[in-house]
Amino acid sequence: MTNPIKKIAVLTSGGDAPGMNAGIRAVVRTALANGIEPYGVKNGFQGLVENEIEKLNHQSVANCIQRGGTILKTKRYDEFKDPAVRQKAVDVLQQHEIDALVVLGGDGSFRGAKLLAEQSNIKTVGIPCTIDNDIMGTPYTIGFDTARNTALTAIDRIRDTAFSHSVNFLVEVMGRASGFLAMDVGLAGGAEFVMIPELATSTEQLIERISSRSRMKLGSIIVVAEADEAGRSFNISKDIKKAIDIDYKVCVIGHTQRGGTPTVHDRKVASLMGYNAVKFLMAGQSNKMIGYDDEVCFVTDFPSIEAGSRTLTNEQLFEINNILCDI
Ligand code: F6P
């Protein structure tokens, strides 16, 4: 069977995630190996609408696999919800005779890719990238492993001060709707407690828990997922002080978790996903997302809006953490 794809464009959209560059590199080089011309779109869907497209070659993606961020740059672009704006993107792609588009991003970016495929004959495939690891339909998203290692390194460093000064810390990590990041670094970092969006633990419940400890713990660490209020740990700390007069210093790790050198795992998964994105397009797939589970890439539907974010359901992790943190 002849390959129906002659030209593939690739873009990154939404929040950056370490490993995106390895994904772009894999798309470009797999395309070239199969006689397909690869194109790079700068600045996500906005750049697509504004015709920021250039032809890529082997060299264009040299020396990027070890870099965080995205060499193609990224944007959040709400205007893409408008069919007239999307039509401009279709026109640009057709003008370049591009048959297929690979989108590296999260839920919002995939909605754009889905609508684009439904509105035109452009074939689209999504590669899931977010440090939150919260996209429905895939147990793993690019960037998660690097982010949890970055956050863990921060916690280990904070622990030095926590121990030396016998002072407690609230360490705030990212995670808007899901606690995968918070739970993993809490467990691996020996946190006394982990607050995740799924359980919506109130400050009162946290205070009750701290007060119910059999012995006074000093130098302990509580991991707080930022949920939908980045910086919420400052208020939590004030409330603890007011209620039970115990000091908790606050460290918000913030965007340090989104950058930096991707880990082996993220580079490997991104390479597999990028390769498979091209292969699935060549096999006639479109309007789909790549998933990854235990060394295997699969193709699945883009997540629906109704499905929401993937959330942490493994209660055993809490049980284990409770035992290991020695309350
Ligand atoms: O990439 C996901 C995420 O890191 C969330 O955990 C966080 O709430 C959000 O991005 C913050 O993104 P920004 O500051 O780019 O809006």
Side-chain angles (χ1 to χ4, degrees):
M1 201 183 84
T2 55
N3 170 23
I5 311 287
K6 302 278 175 271
K7 296 183 180 184
I8 288 184
V10 55
L11 63 78
T12 48
S13 164
D16 64 337
M20 277 180 155
N21 288 328
I24 298 166
R25 174 179 177 269
V27 169
V28 170
R29 293 197 170 163
T30 306
L32 288 167
N34 287 281
I36 301 170
E37 279 181 29
Y39 286 76
V41 182
K42 284 266 165 75
N43 293 311
F45 287 112
Q46 183 175 340
L48 180 57
V49 168
E50 294 170 6
N51 196 11
E52 289 188 69
I53 298 189
E54 63 183 48
K55 197 170 164 181
L56 302 178
N57 57 33
H58 262 90
Q59 260 324 95
S60 327
V61 288
N63 198 28
C64 75
I65 196 166
Q66 79 285 11
R67 287 166 61 190
T70 156
I71 54 169
L72 290 175
K73 302 208 160 202
T74 183
K75 280 245 165 32
R76 298 192 197 275
Y77 186 54
D78 260 8
E79 291 84 340
F80 208 65
K81 287 179 187 152
D82 180 348
V85 173
R86 287 200 301 276
Q87 189 52 47
K88 284 189 197 159
V90 173
D91 294 345
V92 168
L93 288 166
Q94 284 172 348
Q95 177 195 323
H96 290 275
E97 297 178 332
I98 290 168
D99 320 288
L101 178 68
V102 178
V103 174
L104 290 97
D107 281 329
S109 312
F110 290 168
R111 280 196 275 287
K114 185 172 166 42
L115 291 169
L116 195 69
E118 286 167 359
Q119 168 169 349
S120 68
N121 59 0
I122 305 291
K123 297 181 171 48
T124 64
V125 164
I127 296 182
C129 302
T130 165
I131 66 161
D132 289 356
N133 200 22
D134 64 349
I135 297 181
M136 275 292 191
T138 177
Y140 192 78
T141 63
I142 295 169
F144 176 62
D145 187 55
T146 307
R148 67 183 167 178
N149 279 295
T150 301
L152 183 62
T153 302
I155 288 176
D156 289 347
R157 289 179 179 196
I158 289 163
R159 190 172 278 291
D160 289 345
T161 301
F163 171 78
S164 305
H165 286 259
S166 300
V167 62
N168 304 303
F169 272 91
L170 295 177
V171 180
E172 188 173 301
V173 301
M174 279 189 167
R176 194 183 306 227
S178 309
F180 293 102
L181 193 54
M183 194 66 231
D184 278 12
V185 300
L187 192 60
E192 178 182 354
F193 190 65
V194 183
M195 289 177 89
I196 63 167
E198 288 88 336
L199 296 185
T201 317
S202 66
T203 308
E204 290 69 33
Q205 286 168 316
L206 177 67
I207 291 168
E208 204 181 299
R209 191 185 159 85
I210 297 170
S211 319
S212 69
R213 286 182 304 210
S214 55
R215 64 189 169 86
M216 183 61 191
K217 275 189 99 178
L218 280 175
S220 74
I221 286 172
I222 292 173
V223 172
V224 181
E226 72 176 30
D228 48 12
E229 194 194 337
R232 70 184 179 122
S233 303
F234 289 101
N235 283 334
I236 296 175
S237 164
K238 276 187 205 142
D239 290 344
I240 298 173
K241 176 75 180 165
K242 207 164 140 195
I244 51 176
D245 197 27
I246 297 180
D247 289 314
Y248 273 83
K249 286 187 183 291
V250 174
C251 178
V252 178
I253 311 176
H255 287 80
T256 60
Q257 295 159 100
R258 287 249 293 266
T261 304
T263 57
V264 173
H265 190 65
D266 277 325
R267 295 184 208 191
K268 177 181 164 189
V269 176
S271 300
L272 291 176
M273 284 188 173
Y275 167 87
N276 277 287
V278 176
K279 286 291 187 179
F280 285 132
L281 283 166
M282 288 172 63
Q285 296 279 3
S286 175
N287 203 354
K288 299 276 181 198
M289 172 185 91
I290 309 277
Y292 177 88
D293 194 8
D294 200 14
E295 306 264 314
V296 176
C297 285
F298 55 91
V299 69
T300 184
D301 287 339
F302 280 127
S304 65
I305 301 184
E306 301 77 50
S309 302
R310 195 171 77 91
T311 51
L312 181 64
T313 50
N314 185 352
E315 285 175 16
Q316 200 183 41
L317 291 176
F318 284 93
E319 196 186 313
I320 295 170
N321 196 50
N322 283 348
I323 293 170
L324 301 189
C325 73
D326 179 32
I327 285 287

